[in-house]
Amino acid sequence: MNNLFLNQKTPNEIAKSLADRIKEHRKMLKISQEVLAQKSGVSLGSIKRFETKYEISLQSFIKIAIALDLDNDFESLFAAKTYTTIDEIIKGK
């Protein structure tokens, strides 16, 4: 059996992790949900639903990331791995 499959997170776990990190960043900046809604153009209801039920459209998620100045993080989201040794290539690390 493939061990990678056993260690995979569910879509809900990934969504929760993203929502938690966005919420933590918002709180670190001392921005309320209301202010974030105004800055991002995303409805307050959508922000609340994202932070509690982890549901949001991709467009709204991007707007929130831009409002929190996190949009540069998308550049490395699916970046190709770089290897420095042949061992790393062989082991897939």
Side-chain angles (χ1 to χ4, degrees), residues 27-88:
K27 287 184 171 188
M28 181 191 72
L29 295 174
K30 297 182 171 132
I31 296 174
S32 68
Q33 289 178 329
E34 292 81 4
V35 170
L36 181 57
Q38 292 170 348
K39 283 184 71 170
S40 66
V42 174
S43 73
L44 178 58
S46 289
I47 291 171
K48 287 181 177 184
R49 186 172 53 256
F50 177 53
E51 289 188 1
T52 59
K53 296 182 181 179
Y54 329 122
E55 298 170 356
I56 197 161
S57 73
L58 179 58
Q59 290 291 322
S60 293
F61 181 75
I62 292 169
K63 287 178 182 180
I64 289 169
I66 290 169
L68 295 175
D69 200 28
L70 295 171
D71 51 306
N72 288 333
D73 292 347
F74 289 123
E75 294 296 321
S76 62
L77 187 59
F78 298 109
K81 283 187 175 182
T82 56
Y83 300 98
T84 56
T85 68
I86 195 74
D87 280 344
E88 288 177 351

Side-chain angles (χ1 to χ4, degrees), residues 10-29:
T10 66
N12 194 58
E13 289 171 332
I14 294 168
K16 180 183 184 317
S17 175
L18 289 171
D20 289 346
R21 292 189 321 212
I22 290 286
K23 182 178 180 178
E24 181 180 309
H25 192 75
R26 175 182 65 75
K27 287 184 171 188
M28 181 191 72
L29 295 174

